[in-house]
Amino acid sequence: MVFGTYGPLTDVNTLVAAQMQEMEMVRQKVYNLEQTQMAIKQRYDEEIARLRHELEARGGPSSHMAGLSQHVGPPQPQPPTIGTGHSTLFGGIMANPGQGGPGLAPPSQDQQQQQGPPPHQMPQPQPGPQQPQQPPFQGYPQPPSVNGNYAQAPTLAASPGPGKGRGPRGAQGPATPQQNQQAPYPETRPSPQVARPTPPPQSQIPNVGNMLADLDPDRLRPDQKREGQDWFAVFNPRVPRVLDVDLIHNLQHESVVCCVRFSQDGRYVATGCNRSAQIFDVSTGKQVSYLQDDSVDKDGDLYIRSVCFSPDGKYLATGAEDKQIRVWDIQSRTISRTFSGHEQDIYSLDFARNGKHIASGSGDRTVRVWDIEANREILNLSIEDGVTTVAISPDGLYVAAGSLDKSVRVWDARNGYLIERLDGVDGHKDSVYSVAFAPNGRDLVSGSLDKTIKMWELADNRGIMSSGGPRGGKILRTFEGHKDFVLSVALTPDGQWVLSGSKDRGVQFWDPRTGDTQLMLQGHKNSGT
């Protein structure tokens, strides 16, 4: 038989073990309270950043936007409301209160603002030794500049769409003071030490995902932003910085700029304004051509809603509110051809790569294809709602169009057959305002009033009609990060970046492989086209 010996020493050990267990429970509770407080303060800081940007968007003061008030040039009136009377398909999407001239009224939006949680008060333990801090990040190396000259701008067609206010985001705060001192025990031998859980390191920059407009430039490191006199760029702090951006020209106009388009070689950029189209040399910023039809009645406004260069750069096609397509000889500054047939404003134009065809989209619910050499219409494609944007594939075999009915359609340009319709569960939830083919001719990008950009993969056997009608393409990725309507999309000539312009006044560069935004550029006082 084995007997155990019990006495005072055993009682002391039992008491010590019980008190150590109780101490560990207290430490764990303090740690949990600390984590809760950190999360609350993080939400507060992010909410403050969001409210600061909201105040700026409403015209309030902001230190990093102070330079915008020095913008050179007289205040410009807004273009008139798109369409009039019962025949119009569009309401306005762009309002700019405080400036003269008729504005494009936006759809009504119920702004929803959520109140953050009330401040919590809790007893704080005595501060202990400070935790060692990590050395500051030294920044990414500066890469060479990237030429984004081929960003295609959309036309200013408009339609009501949802515009829900975004709820408050979180904020972070200082850590609860650490309790590191061990309570002594009344015994001759030392008590064993219990390791205290260490909180994870807290970033000073809130994680806003792709919503870069929620970042406060004043709180970013120098390597995470670029600032000029009246513009700034914010780089996504969560992804490696591989692009850079700088302002090279500020092209002044005497009226609202409705559309912008680069020539295929990137040497020139054309703009559409009230009654005129203008062409600038990209390298010098100087105006090289001013195109205006003097035969048009001088009374009232006539806004140019779309412009497009021919592939050889010799011609510029313009579409206007008077329902006419004019093809200008740039060198002689004369009208080479005029195409009539649309019954409402022309919102989008695109030249085929062969230089022989032009596609046009109008509020009259039609997409039309015109033969330049024969000087006539060769296709008239009707849909159920107004057409806001058109694009011709790089091989010239397909025509894509976005519409107010939330769909993207693709036709065979040779016979007019509808071969793909991109909508449904994976599709846009509001009107589509811009489409662009990728350089590979297989992928298509679309931008919508639902504040998203989508990249689609078209079917390989597009030339074969299925018995069930047009197919639906495969959605590759949805890009989310804009705070308002997406009005324009484009791809760089190498297909490595997707660009988007929004009513939130930001232009964002997206990586199509990951869906992450690389940077947000902001320099305009109104929407980016």
Side-chain angles (χ1 to χ4, degrees):
M1 299 179 66
V2 179
F3 294 89
T5 302
Y6 299 90
L9 180 59
T10 302
D11 294 338
V12 170
N13 289 337
T14 302
L15 179 61
V16 169
Q19 291 190 2
M20 288 176 59
Q21 183 177 5
E22 182 179 353
M23 186 97 177
E24 177 60 22
M25 292 175 61
V26 171
R27 288 174 181 159
Q28 188 62 43
K29 289 181 180 179
V30 170
Y31 172 69
N32 292 340
L33 288 173
E34 176 185 330
Q35 297 304 301
T36 302
Q37 186 185 24
M38 286 181 179
I40 291 172
K41 188 173 186 305
Q42 182 180 359
R43 289 196 296 272
Y44 285 159
D45 284 351
E46 293 180 358
E47 171 67 1
I48 290 171
R50 186 191 70 80
L51 291 175
R52 183 177 299 174
H53 278 278
E54 183 176 320
L55 178 63
E56 171 197 326
R58 295 181 179 178
S62 178
S63 59
H64 69 274
M65 292 295 289
L68 292 177
S69 62
Q70 305 173 7
H71 180 72
V72 180
Q76 302 297 335
Q78 290 282 40
T81 301
I82 301 176
T84 57
H86 297 291
S87 63
T88 180
L89 293 173
F90 302 94
I93 63 167
M94 301 173 58
N96 192 5
Q99 293 193 9
L104 300 182
S108 61
Q109 301 183 14
D110 297 329
Q111 299 297 329
Q112 301 178 354
Q113 295 187 354
Q114 301 177 358
Q115 177 122 10
H120 291 272
Q121 297 183 358
M122 61 181 69
Q124 300 295 325
Q126 294 300 319
Q130 295 292 331
Q131 295 290 335
Q133 297 184 355
Q134 298 294 329
F137 179 70
Q138 299 302 318
Y140 300 110
Q142 296 294 325
S145 299
V146 174
N147 180 4
N149 288 343
Y150 284 79
Q152 173 176 341
T155 54
L156 294 179
S159 168
K164 303 290 185 182
R166 191 169 176 86
R169 306 185 68 88
Q172 70 178 26
T176 304
Q178 306 295 317
Q179 178 176 332
N180 292 327
Q181 299 297 328
Q182 297 287 341
Y185 295 102
E187 53 181 295
T188 57
R189 61 186 179 84
S191 301
Q193 301 297 310
V194 180
R196 183 187 184 282
T198 303
Q202 296 292 319
S203 172
Q204 297 302 313
I205 302 173
N207 184 5
V208 299
N210 288 327
M211 199 75 67
L212 299 189
D214 283 344
L215 292 175
D216 182 357
D218 292 337
R219 299 179 60 188
L220 297 177
R221 299 189 305 264
D223 64 289
Q224 295 172 339
K225 61 184 177 181
R226 289 289 302 270
E227 294 184 275
Q229 181 180 3
D230 57 356
W231 68 276
F232 69 92
V234 173
F235 295 87
N236 191 342
R238 306 296 171 181
V239 301
R241 175 175 167 179
V242 296
L243 293 180
D244 200 4
V245 64
D246 200 358
L247 179 69
I248 57 174
H249 299 300
N250 189 350
L251 308 177
Q252 296 292 330
H253 293 73
E254 295 181 356
S255 76
V256 172
V257 178
C258 298
C259 52
V260 180
R261 196 72 172 266
F262 281 91
S263 61
Q264 198 164 54
D265 59 10
R267 296 175 55 196
Y268 301 98
V269 60
T271 60
C273 308
N274 186 15
R275 310 188 71 86
S276 70
Q278 302 174 40
I279 301 176
F280 298 85
D281 187 304
V282 170
S283 61
T284 65
K286 294 182 178 179
Q287 184 187 98
V288 296
S289 188
Y290 186 93
L291 308 174
Q292 179 171 323
D293 188 352
D294 295 328
S295 66
V296 177
D297 188 354
K298 299 298 188 296
D299 295 333
D301 296 323
L302 180 63
Y303 284 91
I304 309 299
R305 298 291 185 188
S306 53
V307 293
C308 184
F309 283 96
S310 63
D312 58 10
K314 295 181 179 180
Y315 300 96
L316 183 75
T318 63
E321 293 179 322
D322 63 357
K323 312 165 191 175
Q324 303 290 314
I325 300 172
R326 297 172 176 84
V327 180
W328 294 83
D329 184 307
I330 296 175
Q331 184 174 7
S332 65
R333 302 183 186 182
T334 59
I335 298 175
S336 172
R337 293 171 179 81
T338 301
F339 295 107
S340 303
H342 280 296
E343 298 175 2
Q344 288 193 25
D345 297 5
I346 298 166
Y347 295 112
S348 184
L349 295 172
D350 198 22
F351 251 104
R353 296 286 179 90
N354 61 12
K356 298 179 180 179
H357 302 114
I358 296 177
S360 59
S362 167
D364 63 7
R365 309 184 185 188
T366 66
V367 174
R368 305 187 188 217
V369 179
W370 312 84
D371 188 312
I372 301 293
E373 296 177 347
N375 200 31
R376 65 184 181 89
E377 175 188 300
I378 57 175
L379 279 180
N380 187 330
L381 310 170
S382 298
I383 63 173
E384 293 83 2
D385 216 332
V387 178
T388 58
T389 174
V390 295
I392 299 178
S393 63
D395 58 12
L397 299 180
Y398 305 101
V399 178
S403 168
L404 297 180
D405 65 4
K406 313 175 188 177
S407 298
V408 177
R409 295 171 174 83
V410 181
W411 292 270
D412 189 316
R414 295 161 294 187
N415 50 38
Y417 289 152
L418 178 64
I419 55 178
E420 297 217 37
R421 179 165 177 164
L422 311 176
D423 53 15
V425 176
D426 294 329
H428 287 291
K429 309 307 179 187
D430 207 335
S431 303
V432 178
Y433 263 54
S434 184
V435 295
F437 277 97
N440 62 18
R442 182 182 66 254
D443 299 332
L444 184 75
V445 174
S446 58
S448 167
L449 298 192
D450 65 8
K451 309 177 188 178
T452 70
I453 304 103
K454 292 183 181 290
M455 175 170 276
W456 307 83
E457 182 180 58
L458 305 180
D460 291 333
N461 54 348
R462 277 171 278 168
I464 304 174
M465 291 295 294
S466 64
S467 57
R471 304 175 188 81
K474 174 185 176 183
I475 184 72
L476 295 178
R477 195 172 297 281
T478 297
F479 305 87
E480 296 181 278
H482 280 295
K483 299 175 72 69
D484 213 329
F485 305 149
V486 176
L487 303 177
S488 60
V489 295
L491 294 99
T492 53
D494 58 7
Q496 296 299 304
W497 298 98
V498 174
L499 286 72
S500 59
S502 168
K503 190 173 182 285
D504 63 14
R505 299 182 297 140
V507 175
Q508 295 196 197
F509 287 65
W510 306 83
D511 187 335
R513 296 166 293 275
T514 65
D516 293 326
T517 184
Q518 168 75 193
L519 67 91
M520 181 197 70
L521 175 65
Q522 195 165 103
H524 294 283
K525 296 182 179 180
N526 210 326
S527 305
T529 58

